Structures are given as structure tokens and as C-alpha cells.
Amino acid sequence: MVLELGYIEIKDLVFGQETRVHGSTLVVDQDAFKEALRSGDDRIQGLNLALAKPGQSTRIICVKDVIEPRCKVDGHSVGEGRTHILRNVAVVSCGKIVGFQEGLIDMSGAGAEHSPFSRTLNLVVEVEVAPELPPHAHEEVVRHAGLKAAGLLAEAARTLRPAEVERYHCLDTLEGGPKLPRVAYLYMLLSQGLLHDSYVLGRNAREGLPCIIPLPLLMDGAITSGNCVSACDKNTTYHHQNNPLVRELYQHHLQELNFAGVVLTNEPVRLAAKEASARKAVELVKTLKADAVIISKEGFGNPDTDQMLLIRGLEEAGVLTVSITDEYAGDNGASQSLADATPQARAMISVGNANERILLPPMERLLGPLEDLTRLAGAYPHSLHQDGSLEVELQAIIGSTNQLGFHTLRCREV
Amino acid sequence: MVKEIERAGMTVVHACSIVPISLTVGGNRIVPTIAIPHPFGDPHLAGPEEKALRRSLVEKALQALETPIGGQTVFE
Amino acid sequence: MSTSYKVVHCLNQFFGGLGGEEQAGAAPTLVQGPKGPGLLIENSVPGLRVMSTLIFGDNYLAENTEKAVQEILNLLAPCFEGDDAGRPDLLLAGPAFNAGRYGIGCGALCQAVQERWGIPAVTAMFPENPAVALYRKTVFIAETSDDVRGMAEAIQRMTPLGLKLVRRESCLPEEDHYIAQGRRKNVRAAKTGAQRALEMLVQRLQGEPFESEYPMPVFDRVRPAPPVADMRRARLALVTSGGIVPRGNPDKIEAANAQRFGSYPIKNLQRLSSQSHQTVHGGYDPTCANGDPNRVLPLDAVRELESEGAIGSLHDWYYATVGNATSVESAQRYGQAIAKILLADGVQAVLLTST
């Protein structure tokens, strides 16, 4: 199995007559695009398209997911053949708040430093769903609309010649140097119901995990996000498509280490299931004969327990661990950061205190369901100031403390 | 919260789904419950069965409150 | 022209020139201008002026700290509450090196002054001074050697640190030589989290030293309370961190990092229902709890057992907050407040439910 990822560089995004790439500008035919998105799903009642670009005075709220536009140009299934990608472009889906955890993206100002999607050219798809739909269906409609929009947009890249092509092989087909330490990646996915689910090849991550996933499958977008749990540390589909740990490990493969493989695991809601998943994940890491493993987490609170169970299990089995986590240390940084702890967790990477407050300047343009602004998690009833500025915790910003290690933000003792 | 209530001199039982968290932060009388979104219930059970399950968990909690302990104890 | 800074300096009887151990019981006095180490402080930064020096006996402060601190605050009040032009910018205390009683005096004064008047206060000590454990979390303590031979260095650390705080500049323990306060703060690293993770892993594999970015916390423990002798005679209260509130969330408890808890009546209530109550917890799938809130706060089962006599009585209110990214500090505060109410109502036993 070999996967080729071909990147088409995009430098600008505009509305126009026909959806296509013109030079390095992506043109979107707004009406045709809307029509195509709505067709086949009568649960969509209203649809708004907007463009949000870096540097603009624009705030996108109630973001459900962010997706990188990709299309399969050669090959029959996920993980093989060639996929074309519109680089620097993202589809941002948003809709009414169903839970509490949908977040925001600022395209400029202090907040823009904290989201990777403040730096992408965004096609914002705001979906209004038929009112009588139950929450699960509501989320499904918005999720599918986002994924569909990304697919439609990527059609513009189908026949183009990519500026750069990356190749991903199955790891087990590569000869590993016998002296190099074997390193695995343990990839935790949130799997806890409405607003808290992830999907692997379209299947809910609550079932069928833990498992080993071939690298080309992973890099070809096998994982999609179905959750809006705290904006700061949920992994959007875009994060999954561009997992920085996988990239790092692949780059160092056969240099100072041998990338032994990726184990996916979930974060169930029952303790017995957590323990069972942890046991199985540890077994799978052992079958990869890993000497060491990096563990990434999604969400916080009870997933801290999943991470600690994994760390304990692996360290006791003689596998060295390094784990990535964010912190909830209170806005003054004086509180305990995690819900769970274990003495074996001696090697932690901290990607930031999600409780730290930030003042976001007023924006000229607001996109998304505005009435829900102060209901975002990490926002307070008094968050929205008279002048339109917004005081929130970092956790309200999409991807601000991403636990795949996307960012340079870290937390330390002072 | 559990600790502060106990520190103030009342006997407290912590009923929670994720026991390790309670053990880590320092709960003393711990009763494990069903699952995070429904600690005292199970939507897969029929009404009366679910109620019986809930009642049995509360009974276990009452028992825990009456039990002398030397240190952190999980009432399975 | 350089800015001028006004400082109040605190010293014990020895450094303040009153005398040795025989003067350790001396009551606090306030004198004009610098004394002893205060002269070094003035010389260390151009434009800095030590307005007055507060001198206290080690024992006087260490033995009855609360009362002595109050006395000193009264002495200092005219100076801090006077006209704007004369008001000090900074309080410095010590350095106390490894002297335990002196350290406690310095720490207590810094804490009290910064709390009362909101101006920065800095002291300086040897890291193993017992006062460090007491005050490092609330007071900036510059790191010194263990005795007076380190005086020059101590002044060179304490004074600039204080001025940085006056100018509201951010400080780091290793750069500004103070004892880390255990607060967590966001900073930018040179590399991404993924790169740092891989780097740390390679260090571990090669047996090299590495530094965890989040050392595991040590949680304090409470001694288990004695058992309730007989639940059939006891008064029980219900508390939850599962975010169950009356419909409409009257107290507007936040879905994450709750800033409050709510008290809700259940006096005439036999059970919770989807019409009367809901969850506002943002950390779990709300479908089950909204369908039947008794699944999180089992009022129906508790009432049943109460009517059968298995529970003496039930407290008339229940207390709820959202345990989702809510800081331990807040949770402690809510716990203390709730405990106070419950004790007043003669509650002996508490059932606390979490999701």
C-alpha cells in the first residue's frame, strides 16, 4: 500500500463564476456550491457561505469542525493511490449550539495566535438544520455538510499538477535498522456520545478500537471528528488529517528511530471499558515490539484517567512513554492541572493551560449563529463587553491547546 | 469538594464512575457507579430495572457511610 | 532622567541595629530612611529611595504573627494611605537567608501588605528556609545563599525583581532568580509540542536527563471521618458535580470551569424529572441525564429509602456545580461553603455524586 499526497498551493480564496483554481487563487461559485451542498439532504433548512481570510477583522463562532479539502484522484480506496489537497485552505462548518463546547476562530488580533485556522483560507459553511431534528441528527447533518463541502471544493484540484508530492508507505514493508529503537504512537480518540465522538473510516470509535492502523490509511484522512468537546483540545478533522506526531515520527523514521506503528485507542465512559481498552492498547503496542511510545490525548477530565492507565500499563511493561496533555490550572494557574495522576507519568509534554483568560478585540464581521456567542464553553455570561470585545478562556478557541502537539504553546511553572 | 466536606467533620461518600480520579484526588469512601453520562442509571434497562439498579447503588452508598475505614476504600 | 521609586523596607532587630537575640522580643517600630541593608538597596539602583524602615523583633512576629502583622499594618497605614505622591511603590523585606523566624516575619509582612494595599512585595531567602514552604506560593522570594555572606547578591536579586513587578513586567524563576511559586503559566516554546515530545522520547531512550513539562502533583489527604452510627437516624444531604440544575439554569452555572455552585430546594420533591431539571455539564453526552436527571442525582431512590426508614431525614436543599475543567481551587471553595451550610442544618452524612 502506497499513498501519494499531492499538494496544490493556494494563496487566495474568492467567490466567482465557476469553482476552480485560477493560478494560485481558488474561486468558488457560491450559488452552485450551495445548491450542490443542499441537494440530497432535506434536513438542511438554511445554508450560508462566507470567506474568512488571515488578517481580516472576522470572528467565526460555534465552529463544529474544520476540514482540509482533499480528493482521491487515483486509486480505489482510502490509503492507496493519489490524493490531491488544496493547501492553506480549510472548510469550517458551524451551526447552532447543541451542547456547550463549540468554539471560535478569530482571523486577527490576540486570538489569531492561538488557532491554526486563523492562518488558513477558510470557506465557512453555516448550516441551519430543520428545527424538529433531535440533537444527534442535528450534529450528523452539520458534520456531513462540512465533509461534503470539503470534498466538493477539492474537486477543483483533481486535474491539477501538484507542487509537491509526499509518499507514505506501510511501515512494516520498510526495512528497519536493527540497532534503532522502535517507537510507536498511541493515538487516543474521544468516544463518549453526542458531541463527544470520533469516526474511523466512518465507523464510530466507540467500537472496534483499540486497533493498529496502517500509516497510509491514517494519512489519507481515515479519522474524522464528530465532537465539539472543549474547542481547545478537540481534534478537528483537519488535525487528524495533518497529525504532526505522525509526520515527526515518519520524518525521523530510520534516522534515530524506527517508527514501529500507530495504535488507535478510545476513551470510553465506563471505568471497566477504560481498563479493558487500556489493557488491549498496551498489548497492541507490545505486538509492535516498541521500546518507547508517544501518547496523545483528546479532551480532558475523565480522559486523563485513560491516559494515566495507558502510561502505567506501558511503563510497567517496560515501554518508555512520553505523553502530551494540556492543563486546567485555573485562570491564575494556581490549581491542580489534571483530574488524574500516576507516579509513572514522569515524562509529560504540556501544551498550555486552557483556563488562562484572553481578551479578544471586537471584530467587524461575525460569522456563525451569533445569538449563541456567550454560550460557548470558556465564555462567561459577562464575557461579551459593550464594545464587542470578548473575554474568554483559551478553551473557547479552536485548537488552542491541541494535544497532538500542533503548537508551540506550553505551560510551565513560574 | 468531597475532601472539604469531610474536613468539616461530616461523613461523605463519593459516588462516581471514574474511581481512579477519586482515588487520586483523595476521596475516602468511594462507591463506583455505572458510567459518566449516567452514573445512577442505565438507559438500556427497562424502567423498573433501572430504578432497582439506582436504589441498590444508593443502598451501597448508605452502607459505605456506616462502615468504619482506615484509609481510602472502594466499595465494589 | 530616571524614574524614581519609593520603597518601604522591613528588617529584624539584628539587621535593623536594635541588638541581637536579647532584643528578639522587640515591638515593631517605624523609622525614617534606610538602615543597614537598606543602604545597599538604595545604592543598587539609581533613583531608588528607601523612605522608611520597619524594624521588628524576630520573636515578636514569629510567636504571635497575626496580631503582630496587624500592629505593623497600623504603623504602615499612614504611609500607604497618604497622598499619591508620597505613596510607596514597593515593599522589600529581608533578606532573611536561612533564619526561620526572620523568614516567617518577612513572608507574613509581604503577604499582608500586598493583600491590603495591592502593591508588590518581595523578600529574599535561602530555598531551605522553612518560611519558603509557607509563603512561596503567594510571595515573590528571591533566592539567596544560606548566610549573610550572600548579602550583596541577595540585594542584587531582590531589588530588580521588585522593580520588575512594579513595572508589571513578567518574571521567570531562572531569569529573575526567585523561588518558583508553583503557578502554571502559558509561554511560547521554540518547538511544537510534537517536536518536543519526540525530543523527550529520544532523550529517554538514550538514558539522558530530561525534564517533564508537568511534574506529577501531590494531592493532600484528609483523614476519613468516622462512620455514621445509624443512617436510620441520620440527616443526609445530596451534592453533585454533575451539573444537575432546575430547568433554565437559574444561576447560570457555566458548562465548563464553573464559577459558582447552586442551592436548589427539594423539600416537597419526590423525584427529579426531565420537565423540572436538566444538566448543564459540558463534559459528557447530556442525553441520558436530560432524559431522567435521577440518573445523576438519585433523588427518587433516596426518597424511597427515606420513606422506608433507611434514612433518618433528607436536608431540604441539594447543591450542584459543574465539575468540568473546574479548578481545584474553586471546588475547594464550593466544598467549604456547602459544608458550612450543611453543618448548620445538623447534617451528618453526605452523598456526593460525580459523572
Side-chain angles (χ1 to χ4, degrees):
Chain A
M1 202 191 265
V2 182
L3 170 72
E4 290 185 336
L5 297 181
Y7 291 94
I8 317 294
E9 295 289 330
I10 300 298
K11 299 207 172 98
D12 199 7
L13 175 62
V14 295
F15 284 131
Q17 295 299 317
E18 185 195 357
T19 299
R20 65 187 185 109
V21 176
H22 182 75
S24 59
T25 299
L26 175 61
V27 185
V28 180
D29 175 352
Q30 199 175 176
D31 294 336
F33 202 84
K34 263 185 171 169
E35 195 44 52
L37 262 185
R38 288 186 74 147
S39 74
D41 197 341
D42 50 17
R43 298 173 301 176
I44 298 180
Q45 200 161 64
L47 199 67
N48 250 320
L49 293 184
L51 306 178
K53 305 186 214 179
Q56 287 179 339
S57 180
T58 297
R59 171 166 300 145
I60 315 169
I61 66 162
C62 298
V63 173
K64 302 277 185 181
D65 197 10
V66 184
I67 307 130
E68 185 176 63
R70 294 172 165 213
C71 72
K72 178 67 65 192
V73 296
D74 180 29
H76 298 293
S77 56
V78 184
E80 58 162 31
R82 178 184 278 204
T83 295
H84 278 182
I85 299 173
L86 290 167
R87 190 177 253 167
N88 306 324
V89 179
V91 168
V92 175
S93 60
C94 48
K96 264 191 85 59
I97 285 203
V98 166
F100 297 97
Q101 311 269 0
E102 295 88 341
L104 62 84
I105 300 169
D106 273 4
M107 299 311 291
S108 61
E113 316 229 319
H114 290 282
S115 181
F117 312 115
S118 305
R119 293 184 282 281
T120 47
L121 299 160
N122 300 326
L123 177 69
V124 181
V125 180
E126 188 191 334
V127 185
E128 198 188 316
V129 177
E132 71 279 7
L133 279 191
H136 287 87
H138 182 283
E139 291 307 282
E140 189 184 83
V141 173
V142 181
R143 188 170 68 246
H144 287 173
L147 293 170
K148 190 172 171 189
L152 286 171
L153 203 57
E155 285 304 317
R158 181 171 290 281
T159 56
L160 298 178
R161 204 185 146 82
E164 186 193 334
V165 177
E166 281 179 344
R167 280 179 188 80
Y168 289 92
H169 300 262
C170 271
L171 289 164
D172 50 10
T173 64
L174 290 167
E175 294 277 308
K179 293 244 170 65
L180 293 175
R182 293 177 64 83
V183 175
Y185 170 36
L186 182 48
Y187 195 164
M188 299 169 65
L189 301 178
L190 202 63
S191 52
Q192 309 199 338
L194 177 65
L195 297 172
H196 298 80
D197 273 329
S198 307
Y199 298 84
V200 181
L201 294 171
R203 201 166 150 206
N204 194 309
R206 273 184 279 182
E207 294 137 33
L209 261 56
C211 69
I212 291 171
I213 183 165
L215 192 71
L217 222 56
L218 191 59
M219 294 311 289
D220 206 13
I223 305 176
T224 50
S225 166
N227 71 68
C228 299
V229 72
S230 236
C232 61
D233 56 14
K234 75 174 236 166
N235 297 322
T236 65
T237 298
Y238 190 103
H239 285 109
H240 289 305
Q241 290 167 316
N242 290 283
N243 187 314
L245 281 167
V246 176
R247 282 235 158 82
E248 279 299 314
L249 285 163
Y250 199 67
Q251 267 168 26
H252 289 81
H253 182 49
L254 303 184
Q255 312 283 322
E256 60 262 72
L257 56 87
N258 192 339
F259 189 4
V262 180
V263 175
L264 289 180
T265 188
N266 51 13
E267 302 171 355
V269 292
R270 294 174 193 243
L271 181 58
K274 284 183 183 303
E275 287 166 345
S277 277
R279 265 196 308 277
K280 174 130 193 252
V282 170
E283 282 311 311
L284 288 173
V285 170
K286 284 204 273 189
T287 65
L288 294 173
K289 298 190 173 57
D291 302 301
V293 60
I294 296 181
I295 307 172
S296 69
K297 185 174 62 178
E298 181 165 22
F300 62 91
N302 78 74
D304 297 350
T305 292
D306 297 277
Q307 194 173 38
M308 293 303 155
L309 287 170
L310 290 168
I311 293 171
R312 201 177 309 140
L314 286 162
E315 292 277 345
E316 278 170 3
V319 183
L320 299 176
T321 61
V322 169
S323 306
I324 305 186
T325 185
D326 58 357
E327 301 186 32
Y328 287 79
D331 56 1
N332 61 1
S335 270
Q336 214 76 78
S337 296
L338 298 179
D340 206 347
T342 178
Q344 283 97 336
R346 290 190 298 131
M348 305 294 290
I349 295 292
S350 164
V351 290
N353 174 15
N355 288 140
E356 213 169 89
R357 289 199 195 190
I358 181 169
L359 184 67
L360 304 175
M363 293 284 158
E364 284 165 20
R365 194 166 62 131
L366 297 178
L367 302 175
L370 304 182
E371 64 275 19
D372 287 339
L373 189 58
T374 55
R375 289 176 59 206
L376 300 177
Y380 304 94
H382 54 271
S383 281
L384 185 59
H385 299 173
Q386 287 261 299
D387 64 352
S389 62
L390 191 64
E391 189 182 351
V392 293
E393 294 186 6
L394 273 187
Q395 59 165 318
I397 300 176
I398 294 278
S400 58
T401 61
N402 177 271
Q403 296 173 105
L404 302 177
F406 240 76
H407 297 290
T408 55
L409 190 74
R410 64 162 288 195
C411 196
R412 55 158 295 172
E413 187 186 359
V414 292
Chain B
M1 289 207 292
V2 177
K3 279 193 289 188
E4 296 309 317
I5 292 170
E6 188 143 40
R7 224 192 287 274
M10 283 166 285
T11 309
V12 53
V13 56
H14 190 203
C16 59
S17 325
I18 307 306
V19 174
I21 295 184
S22 188
L23 284 170
T24 304
V25 300
N28 283 323
R29 290 179 170 83
I30 305 169
V31 168
T33 55
I34 309 298
I36 295 165
H38 45 86
F40 280 90
D42 191 336
H44 297 110
L45 297 177
E49 284 169 49
E50 188 181 5
K51 180 75 182 296
L53 170 73
R54 175 147 63 242
R55 184 187 156 108
S56 73
L57 283 168
V58 174
E59 281 172 329
K60 199 183 279 177
L62 298 181
Q63 230 164 38
L65 287 165
E66 289 180 334
T67 308
I69 54 169
Q72 292 190 305
T73 307
V74 179
F75 294 84
E76 292 290 354
Chain C
M1 113 128 231
S2 64
T3 326
S4 72
Y5 296 101
K6 296 179 287 299
V7 174
V8 171
H9 189 208
C10 302
L11 292 170
N12 71 352
Q13 80 283 352
F14 177 75
F15 287 100
L18 294 185
E21 194 56 35
E22 77 286 354
Q23 288 294 327
T29 54
L30 189 65
V31 299
Q32 293 293 311
K35 290 277 173 223
L39 296 162
L40 294 173
I41 291 176
E42 274 203 343
N43 289 336
S44 68
V45 178
L48 184 148
R49 194 161 61 80
V50 176
M51 304 163 61
S52 46
T53 306
L54 185 286
I55 305 167
F56 58 87
D58 275 338
N59 289 348
Y60 193 89
L61 228 157
E63 280 168 6
N64 198 347
T65 311
E66 210 170 308
K67 181 169 159 282
V69 165
Q70 194 48 53
E71 223 171 291
I72 291 171
L73 288 180
N74 292 342
L75 271 178
L76 293 176
C79 154
F80 283 97
E81 290 165 11
D83 63 293
D84 279 0
R87 213 173 288 166
D89 304 294
L90 173 68
L91 182 103
L92 294 174
F97 304 106
N98 201 17
R101 289 171 302 170
Y102 189 14
I104 289 174
C106 289
L109 282 180
C110 286
Q111 191 177 318
V113 166
Q114 65 192 20
E115 224 168 75
R116 170 95 169 253
W117 290 297
I119 68 152
V122 174
T123 178
M125 297 179 208
F126 182 59
E128 281 163 45
N129 189 319
V132 168
L134 289 175
Y135 294 105
R136 86 177 161 98
K137 284 193 173 169
T138 49
V139 173
F140 278 91
I141 305 174
E143 188 177 333
T144 72
S145 63
D146 63 342
D147 66 23
V148 69
R149 280 171 295 181
M151 179 63 88
E153 184 193 51
I155 301 283
Q156 281 309 328
R157 289 179 171 183
M158 181 166 78
T159 317
L161 173 63
L163 295 181
K164 263 189 136 172
L165 295 175
V166 171
R167 296 190 297 261
R168 297 174 185 275
E169 291 169 20
S170 68
C171 304
L172 291 176
E174 68 276 9
E175 278 174 18
D176 300 292
H177 307 287
Y178 69 90
I179 297 168
Q181 296 186 296
R183 268 185 314 116
R184 307 292 296 171
K185 187 177 182 326
N186 287 339
V187 294
R188 285 285 169 187
K191 295 180 172 159
T192 66
Q195 289 166 332
R196 301 197 313 273
L198 190 59
E199 230 169 60
M200 191 181 284
L201 197 74
V202 171
Q203 283 168 337
R204 282 202 80 179
L205 280 165
Q206 294 175 347
E208 290 169 8
F210 65 94
E211 200 182 328
S212 176
E213 294 181 359
Y214 181 67
M216 281 296 113
V218 185
F219 291 85
D220 70 326
R221 291 279 179 264
V222 178
R223 236 189 24 193
V228 177
D230 185 357
M231 276 310 296
R232 288 172 304 176
R233 291 160 197 274
R235 194 157 173 73
L236 177 77
L238 302 179
V239 181
T240 185
S241 66
I244 298 295
V245 298
R247 275 226 158 259
N249 190 13
D251 293 313
K252 304 232 174 310
I253 297 179
E254 292 82 356
N257 195 4
Q259 300 297 303
R260 67 208 82 230
F261 71 89
S263 336
Y264 305 111
I266 42 173
K267 191 171 179 188
N268 298 312
L269 218 54
Q270 288 307 304
R271 57 189 311 274
L272 307 179
S273 76
S274 58
Q275 284 84 45
S276 65
H277 290 75
Q278 67 171 117
T279 180
V280 289
H281 195 294
Y284 62 84
D285 181 342
T287 317
C288 292
N290 284 340
D292 181 358
N294 295 289
R295 286 172 175 150
V296 176
L297 190 76
L299 181 65
D300 57 352
V302 168
R303 282 290 186 211
E304 199 174 282
L305 286 158
E306 184 195 16
S307 69
E308 293 167 18
I311 298 166
S313 65
L314 188 62
H315 177 67
D316 283 342
W317 300 72
Y318 83 90
Y319 303 87
T321 189
V322 166
N324 180 31
T326 301
S327 71
V328 176
E329 212 183 353
S330 308
Q332 276 171 349
R333 228 173 39 241
Y334 308 155
Q336 286 161 0
I338 293 168
K340 209 179 261 181
I341 308 171
L342 298 183
L343 278 178
D345 189 47
V347 168
Q348 291 113 23
V350 176
L351 168 58
L352 194 151
T353 73
S354 292
T355 45

